[in-house]
Amino acid sequence: MLQALLQAERKGEATGPLSPCFFFTAQGGLTAANILSFTVFLLGDLIVALFTTIEDVRVYTSGYLIWMVGFPVVGYWGLQLEGIFSGATEAKSIRNSMALALILFLLAIWLLEPLYGNHGIWIAFVLFSLARSVFLSLYVPKLTRSKFGF
């Protein structure tokens, strides 16, 4: 929905201000991320049990559930921004932020996996998602000036 509103604004067909859309989608995304995180926190072992009956896999997986609890809160911001930039047809900003985040990910995985094993991979993945969000957010002022005039 936000992408459609942004495209309408870009074409001069929007019927109202977009700032409430940014706010409500961010609020909705954070709410959904928190609900998902809380659900995994409460029911993580039961969710894993839906995927496997092998007890060794269940025990091993329980050590990584903390990453599944935290990831939605870190990841939603970048996904929301990606929707905004896609709707504004700003693929270059998405590409550039993803390239920078990939460089950070590769560096992090190279450094952290030997030290922390699978937890190092998860740290690198969370850093990638956070970096994608941060790098893409740096393009927001340029986007709002060039595409939407505010």
Side-chain angles (χ1 to χ4, degrees):
M1 180 173 148
L2 180 60
Q3 289 176 340
L5 290 170
L6 287 168
Q7 286 176 347
E9 173 69 23
R10 191 169 161 267
K11 294 176 184 176
E13 301 167 358
T15 58
L18 286 177
S19 56
C21 294
F22 288 101
F23 173 75
F24 289 124
T25 57
Q27 186 179 35
L30 183 58
T31 300
N34 283 328
I35 290 169
L36 182 58
S37 292
F38 189 66
T39 301
V40 172
F41 177 75
L42 289 179
L43 304 173
D45 290 326
L46 295 173
I47 294 169
V48 170
L50 292 172
F51 289 93
T52 184
T53 58
I54 303 169
E55 190 59 32
D56 289 343
V57 172
R58 288 180 180 183
V59 170
Y60 187 77
T61 307
S62 67
Y64 297 97
L65 284 175
I66 191 65
W67 296 109
M68 295 306 298
V69 169
F71 181 74
V73 177
V74 173
Y76 94 93
W77 179 27
L79 294 173
Q80 182 211 12
L81 288 173
E82 192 170 314
I84 291 168
F85 280 84
S86 294
T89 64
E90 275 294 313
K92 182 179 176 183
S93 301
I94 296 170
R95 180 202 61 208
N96 293 347
S97 65
M98 291 291 280
L100 292 170
L102 176 63
I103 291 168
L104 181 66
F105 169 78
L106 293 173
L107 180 62
I109 206 164
W110 180 70
L111 292 171
L112 298 173
E113 190 277 332
L115 296 173
Y116 302 109
N118 284 345
H119 287 289
I121 296 170
W122 272 102
I123 293 167
F125 183 57
V126 168
L127 284 173
F128 169 80
S129 295
L130 183 62
R132 176 182 66 162
S133 301
V134 169
F135 293 140
L136 199 51
S137 71
L138 296 176
Y139 288 98
V140 169
K142 179 183 173 194
L143 173 75
T144 55
R145 277 192 312 273
S146 68
K147 297 284 184 171
F148 308 113
F150 51 86

